[in-house]
Amino acid sequence: MSPQRSVLKTGVISCVVAAGVAGTVAGAPSAEAAPRLAVSSIATGLSHPWDIVTAPDGTALVTERAGRFVAIRPGQAPKTIRVDLSALWVHREAGLMGLAVDPGFAQNRRIYSCQAEKAGTGSSVAQGAKIPQGVGSVPLPWPNTGQQVTVASWRVSQDWSSMQRERTVLAGIPLNAGGRHAGCGLAAASDGTLWIGTGDNATAEYSQSRKSLGGKVLHVNAATGRPAAGNPDPASPIATLGHRNVQGIALQPGSGRVYSIEQGTSADDELNLIRPGANYGYRPDRAPVIYDESVPMTDPTRVPGAVGPIWKSGAPTIATPALQFLPTTGWGEWNGAVVIAAQKAKKLVVVKLDDSGTRVVDVEEALSDRYGRLRALAVDRDGSLLVGTDTGKDQILRIRPGA
């Protein structure tokens, strides 16, 4: 995929590139013509942006994993938001993670975040502290040195200069000292609920245990944190189980369908259509105690009735942390498609679904090997796609269909 032209305007470098075909699924037909893409940078100087959301006023809000909220207001330079993150716990995959905008943001200025935090006043590992080598792969729910994953509600000031924490919506999502498989994706629904994707902590029993919030998709009331209506167990926030590491959740506009993107083992990153009560079949406890990642991501033999993915990457995995639905107009052949970010493969994957949302019509790719590892995704109010790079010296890209 080669650049067709580049221009410099108002200090932002823009270029138009052609999108390439990545392949199809189950013999599905190829797309007629993928759009060429206009790419510009709207922010630089970031470090591992984990998630992006866009507010009704056009502000893009970014989380950096190491502990920073960044506001990118239209026509302005990125600025750090003043906020108390003294409880944040950062190590490896854990830190300041997923974001969601409350559907009533224009009135209530409310944002939700998902982060690793020190639990209570007991022993804890300080931010940046050294963890003994190998602990990240310990196949047990320890050592826990006083940390958990929580979901919080925040109130944003009118000028985006500060955020005040309102409450903890949900706590007790497990996290061990290695920080591995921490999750944590968020999506806010118009019915006042939150969908939350969690990681299994690389702990053998978590994904299939109904006593653990790890390795799950959770569904809660955003105002109270209590289980949402329709959960299999009215007393539990668990909507689905059998997941490995769910870092992205998205609602399909118009249909209300909920999809998750899940990072695979050595094979099969998965796009799943979430059905409350379903088990998605990851069960890495084949050997006693050992976290056995040689098992399939969906194992119908050991998990009878396991629900398979809508799309999977095959082998090797491409590392898929985020997904977003493109608008249903303005993107030509990609109207309404799912865009998936890939870190290891350094590209975007575009998955077109049929009207039922259960079958893949076509798969294509874009931005391959142009901007390094790609993680955060958001759709802006003008229909453009925002993409965060994940290299350590990072930027937020704006992607539009180009001429």
Side-chain angles (χ1 to χ4, degrees):
M1 186 169 60
S2 57
Q4 303 299 310
R5 59 183 172 88
S6 297
V7 296
L8 181 66
K9 52 184 179 181
T10 62
V12 177
I13 298 176
S14 300
C15 65
V16 177
V17 298
V21 174
T24 60
V25 172
S30 298
E32 294 178 6
R36 293 167 73 182
L37 304 177
V39 182
S40 60
S41 178
I42 66 168
T44 59
L46 302 175
S47 177
H48 299 293
W50 207 100
D51 204 0
I52 313 171
V53 291
T54 54
D57 66 359
T59 300
L61 177 65
V62 177
T63 49
E64 290 182 333
R65 188 179 59 214
R68 188 166 72 125
F69 288 99
V70 180
I72 307 168
R73 306 199 71 187
Q76 299 183 24
K79 68 177 182 180
T80 301
I81 299 175
R82 296 192 308 275
V83 60
D84 182 1
L85 288 172
S86 58
L88 189 70
W89 187 91
V90 180
H91 184 66
R92 292 183 63 173
E93 299 170 30
L96 186 57
M97 298 180 284
L99 279 172
V101 177
D102 190 278
F105 180 87
Q107 291 74 43
N108 61 31
R109 307 290 297 179
R110 185 166 292 128
I111 294 286
Y112 304 99
S113 68
C114 192
Q115 59 271 320
E117 294 187 322
K118 306 162 195 173
T121 58
S123 173
S124 64
V125 175
Q127 181 170 321
K130 298 295 185 182
I131 306 297
Q133 186 173 5
V135 164
S137 298
V138 169
L140 294 169
W142 56 262
N144 186 297
T145 49
Q147 68 280 334
Q148 62 180 329
V149 174
T150 65
V151 177
S153 168
W154 304 84
R155 188 70 61 88
V156 184
S157 66
Q158 289 290 334
D159 64 357
W160 290 91
S161 64
S162 65
M163 291 169 58
Q164 294 295 322
R165 185 163 178 159
E166 295 181 307
R167 64 185 181 276
T168 297
V169 177
L170 185 69
I173 301 170
L175 179 64
N176 68 31
R180 191 174 178 215
H181 295 184
C184 177
L186 289 180
S190 60
D191 63 358
T193 64
L194 279 175
W195 294 88
I196 306 162
T198 71
D200 70 354
N201 288 194
T203 301
E205 70 269 21
Y206 277 3
S207 62
Q208 292 295 322
S209 171
R210 298 183 186 275
K211 297 180 180 179
S212 171
L213 300 185
K216 307 295 188 300
V217 171
L218 311 176
H219 191 202
V220 301
N221 183 295
T224 65
R226 296 186 60 80
N231 282 2
D233 179 353
S236 171
I238 295 172
T240 64
L241 69 162
H243 300 281
R244 181 175 180 266
N245 193 24
V246 181
Q247 293 189 340
I249 299 276
L251 279 66
Q252 185 181 40
S255 74
R257 299 180 188 120
V258 181
Y259 291 81
S260 71
I261 194 70
E262 186 166 350
Q263 300 221 20
T265 55
S266 60
D268 296 338
D269 303 299
E270 292 186 345
L271 174 67
N272 286 304
L273 173 58
I274 297 302
R275 299 184 174 97
N279 189 324
Y280 290 80
Y282 185 57
R283 187 177 175 182
D285 62 350
R286 185 162 51 189
V289 180
I290 301 300
Y291 184 66
D292 181 4
E293 294 189 89
S294 68
V295 302
M297 283 292 290
T298 303
D299 189 346
T301 301
R302 298 180 62 245
V303 185
V307 176
I310 302 299
W311 167 88
K312 58 184 179 181
S313 65
T317 50
I318 61 175
T320 52
L323 78 161
Q324 281 292 333
F325 283 88
L326 290 175
T328 55
T329 60
W331 283 86
E333 291 296 321
W334 288 359
N335 284 342
V338 183
V339 178
I340 299 168
Q343 294 168 294
K344 186 165 61 176
K346 302 177 183 178
K347 64 183 179 182
L348 299 178
V349 179
V350 182
V351 178
K352 295 178 64 178
L353 303 176
D354 68 359
D355 290 343
S356 72
T358 61
R359 191 177 72 88
V360 173
V361 174
D362 193 54
V363 181
E364 300 178 53
E365 67 179 38
L367 307 189
S368 296
D369 292 318
R370 293 192 59 81
Y371 298 98
R373 292 160 58 90
L374 304 179
R375 171 183 274 281
L377 297 175
V379 173
D380 207 349
R381 58 182 180 173
D382 65 355
S384 61
L385 181 69
L386 302 182
V387 181
T389 66
D390 186 32
T391 65
K393 296 180 179 179
D394 294 306
Q395 60 183 320
I396 304 299
L397 306 171
R398 186 185 298 280
I399 315 296
R400 291 188 174 99

